[in-house]
Amino acid sequence: MPATKNTKKELSKEELIEKILKLKKKKNAVILAHSYQDSEVQLVADFIGDSLELSKKAAATEADIIVFCGVDFMAESAKILSPDKKVLLPEINAKCPMAAMCDTEGLRELKAKYPKAVVISYINSSAEVKAESDCICTSANAVKIVDHYKDKKIIFTPDKNLGYYCSMTTGADMILWNGYCYVHDEFSVGDIFIAKHENPDCLLLVHPESPKEVLEKADFIGSTSQIVKFVEENIENMNEKAGVIIGTEIEIAKNLQLRFPSKRIYPLADHAVCVQMKSTELYKVYNSLLNEEYEIFVEEEIRKKALKALNKMLELSK
Ligand code: 13P
Ligand code: SF4
């Protein structure tokens, strides 16, 4: 097994891409990349998508190795869904801060207080929290999943903003865990004021991880892939004054600007950068494939329980 690691400077971008593609074929690996990943990393991916699309790909792949260019909970979900595959996370410190905000002890206490409540956890949670849950959701299917359980009291973890959006949309009685995504939670009415002042005829599209006051001002609320789909379907019909302001991680606006260079596409704010997502770099993807690092494991007892909750989500989001 070659143990040499390549540092950033040893190989050019083109050499890295060539070597990654060769290794991927040789090892029958698949590279899944979340759409917040850096554009260089997206170049070598077999599939790029949001959390729901990628978890479906992870469940269906025939590859022997899954290289997950994303964050910890995504690689863990892939391992839960495909236990016989080797799942690799190229940057071991790519950990989602929101997923770390919910702990099993606290969740168990809440469950004991509301024994009849259904627990729905956002996929941005640890395997242990998933194992304590009845069903998982992503931002693309959260409203549908909550709506399915709306006749019962619901404990929703960890994202208070997504939970609030689901309770407003469905009318469900929900207890919200106090977690949040720092990237989206930092969007403010001030950001909207500035973006709209500069581009008054642009529509505001925001991710439901954004705070209540931002959601209230949005023209469209949707997950990463739903925002992209909205732009794909509407941008050609927009005149030269119209356009879109994208209220989610900056990569989505950057990518759409490259795809539609003549259109008015702006990020809601330049501060919307997920540092954890960006910590995966091309040379780390190469090292990951070369040295088969960093392998993700989930304890079998936990995996089985978490799988039940994930499968429930996949069943309900068909
Ligand atoms: P989606 O991929 O479900 O849009 O979620 C965004 C996100 O924050 C992923 O970490
Ligand atoms: Fe976590 Fe937010 Fe980064 Fe997604 S964008 S990985 S929810 S911190």
Side-chain angles (χ1 to χ4, degrees):
M1 151 88 73
T4 345
K5 286 199 189 218
N6 280 271
T7 63
K8 223 174 188 170
K9 293 187 186 78
E10 280 166 11
L11 296 167
S12 69
K13 176 179 153 187
E14 290 71 26
E15 286 170 325
L16 278 172
I17 292 175
E18 198 186 326
K19 284 178 181 293
I20 290 170
L21 297 182
K22 270 195 191 146
L23 265 180
K24 191 171 72 167
K25 202 165 172 198
K26 187 170 155 206
K27 297 196 173 191
N28 188 27
V30 67
I31 301 182
L32 305 181
H34 191 273
S35 41
Y36 296 169
Q37 288 286 297
D38 191 80
S39 56
E40 281 193 5
V41 171
Q42 294 195 23
L43 285 176
V44 294
D46 295 285
F47 299 104
I48 301 160
D50 71 1
S51 308
L52 181 61
E53 292 165 332
L54 294 179
S55 58
K56 285 182 178 167
K57 291 291 178 200
T61 185
E62 300 209 330
D64 296 316
I65 297 178
I66 300 174
V67 180
F68 215 119
C69 301
V71 286
D72 53 351
F73 72 81
M74 297 179 176
E76 258 186 12
S77 299
K79 186 67 183 174
I80 293 165
L81 290 160
S82 286
D84 300 333
K85 316 281 177 194
K86 189 177 251 193
V87 178
L88 305 174
L89 187 65
E91 168 53 69
I92 195 64
N93 293 313
K95 297 178 194 292
C96 167
M98 168 155 66
M101 287 176 191
C102 186
D103 64 297
T104 41
E105 243 172 70
L107 180 53
R108 283 195 198 120
E109 276 171 28
L110 204 55
K111 283 168 71 171
K113 209 166 155 195
Y114 301 98
K116 287 192 179 146
V118 172
V119 180
I120 303 178
S121 289
Y122 193 20
I123 197 160
N124 304 35
S125 56
S126 67
E128 288 77 10
V129 164
K130 287 186 178 75
E132 290 288 330
S133 308
D134 296 292
C135 190
I136 306 304
C137 71
T138 74
S139 52
N141 61 22
V143 169
K144 195 172 178 182
I145 304 275
V146 167
D147 195 61
H148 176 82
Y149 290 104
K150 73 169 178 229
D151 296 337
K152 296 186 176 163
K153 196 180 231 350
I154 295 169
I155 295 172
F156 190 90
T157 85
D159 189 0
K160 62 177 180 185
N161 293 325
L162 180 64
Y164 166 81
Y165 172 61
C166 291
S167 71
M168 282 302 112
T169 314
T170 63
D173 174 15
M174 295 169 75
I175 299 156
L176 307 180
W177 194 270
N178 194 20
Y180 59 90
C181 160
Y182 74 95
V183 179
H184 294 89
D185 196 60
E186 274 173 21
F187 285 136
S188 66
V189 173
D191 290 331
I192 299 176
F193 181 81
I194 294 168
K196 280 271 188 187
H197 180 73
E198 288 168 359
N199 311 289
D201 295 319
C202 288
L203 293 176
L204 175 64
L205 320 182
V206 302
H207 195 283
E209 288 174 11
S210 309
K212 174 177 177 276
E213 60 279 12
V214 169
L215 295 178
E216 278 167 2
K217 295 203 178 314
D219 297 297
F220 176 82
I221 299 169
S223 70
T224 305
S225 61
Q226 288 162 347
I227 289 177
V228 171
K229 192 161 175 259
F230 181 95
V231 175
E232 287 169 345
E233 287 175 356
N234 294 287
I235 200 91
E236 286 307 328
N237 301 328
M238 290 182 183
N239 63 28
E240 58 289 358
K241 274 174 85 190
V244 286
I245 298 166
I246 308 287
T248 188
E249 212 271 347
I250 199 111
E251 206 64 39
I252 301 299
K254 281 204 230 165
N255 191 287
L256 288 166
Q257 283 167 343
L258 284 175
R259 289 180 58 197
F260 305 102
S262 63
K263 298 291 178 180
R264 292 168 65 103
I265 298 171
Y266 308 100
L268 173 54
D270 289 341
H271 58 68
V273 178
C274 178
V275 177
Q276 289 71 22
M277 283 280 187
K278 300 292 189 263
S279 66
T280 302
E281 294 173 70
L282 206 52
Y283 78 96
K284 294 180 188 173
V285 180
Y286 175 57
N287 287 339
S288 177
L289 266 170
L290 186 69
N291 299 309
E292 301 189 10
E293 66 192 21
Y294 295 90
E295 191 168 355
I296 299 299
F297 298 97
V298 178
E299 205 251 301
E300 189 55 14
E301 195 78 354
I302 302 276
R303 191 192 72 79
K304 280 192 197 145
K305 289 188 194 160
L307 179 65
K308 224 173 134 194
L310 266 167
N311 276 340
K312 189 74 196 163
M313 168 187 88
L314 293 175
E315 180 197 318
L316 293 176
S317 55
K318 267 179 195 159

